[in-house]
Amino acid sequence: MESIFFFVVAAVAVICSLLVITCKNPINSALSLVMTFFCLATFYVMLDAPFMAVTQVIVYAGAIMVLIIFVIMLLNVKAETVKPNTHAVLAGSAIGIFSMFLTVWFLLKGSLTGATGSMSPQSIAKTGHIEIIGKALFTDFLLPFEVTSILLLVAIIGAVILAKKRI
């Protein structure tokens, strides 16, 4: 029963992610992205990671999508009417197919049985998901965390400068 549910959610996620890049109306594309985020949160719940699922819904499906829709409405972006470039579509499709085959090759080449990491399910249940994530984030991954925060700050400043009306 769980595998049927997984395949249904996976099919919805793939369809919605395809709608994100094929919809001509930016609002429809953003709503498809929200549905893709909810499918990803469902996958986190199925992997017994409820904190990540809630974070996915609150941060991405909530805050980020509100920001994206606000920018779409602020810039008054209309539906695209330009005919897509067929060369770009073919090149993108070729890169996507190559990436898919490369991913499958790496998965088949590696051992999937030993991919559990250093944490056992018993130690995770004893310690808790949030404490483990917090310790790893602020000890092992402190530099990438800080670099990401600086990158987001630069992106916000860039968006404000681009959106600023010229006098």
Side-chain angles (χ1 to χ4, degrees):
M1 184 65 177
E2 187 175 325
S3 61
I4 294 171
F5 181 69
F6 170 79
F7 286 116
V8 168
V9 173
V12 170
V14 168
I15 290 169
C16 288
S17 62
L18 288 173
L19 286 174
V20 168
I21 58 175
T22 58
C23 284
K24 294 188 184 293
N25 189 344
I27 296 293
N28 291 342
S29 181
L31 292 176
S32 297
L33 188 60
V34 168
M35 190 61 193
T36 306
F37 288 154
F38 277 114
C39 290
L40 184 59
T42 305
F43 290 141
Y44 284 137
V45 169
M46 291 175 68
L47 290 171
D48 196 29
F51 175 73
M52 289 301 296
V54 169
T55 304
Q56 176 75 25
V57 170
I58 291 172
V59 173
Y60 289 104
I64 300 296
M65 287 314 301
V66 166
L67 179 67
I68 289 173
I69 291 174
F70 176 73
V71 168
I72 289 171
M73 291 179 176
L74 179 71
L75 297 176
N76 198 15
V77 178
K78 304 288 185 206
E80 183 181 355
T81 57
V82 179
K83 183 179 177 186
N85 187 356
T86 56
H87 297 295
V89 171
L90 289 175
S93 299
I95 291 171
I97 290 171
F98 176 73
S99 300
M100 182 185 68
F101 282 126
L102 194 64
T103 303
V104 169
W105 181 70
F106 276 118
L107 285 175
L108 293 178
K109 180 182 158 192
S111 173
L112 296 178
T113 58
T116 58
S118 62
M119 300 298 295
S120 67
Q122 293 81 15
S123 65
I124 292 174
K126 178 182 162 190
T127 309
H129 293 280
I130 300 171
E131 186 175 343
I132 293 171
I133 291 171
K135 281 182 181 177
L137 186 64
F138 293 114
T139 56
D140 300 333
F141 300 105
L142 183 62
L143 181 63
F145 180 74
E146 293 298 327
V147 168
T148 304
S149 66
I150 292 170
L151 182 66
L152 287 173
L153 178 66
V154 169
I156 290 171
I157 292 170
V160 168
I161 290 172
L162 289 174
K164 184 178 170 185
K165 292 191 177 202
R166 308 221 187 263
I167 298 176

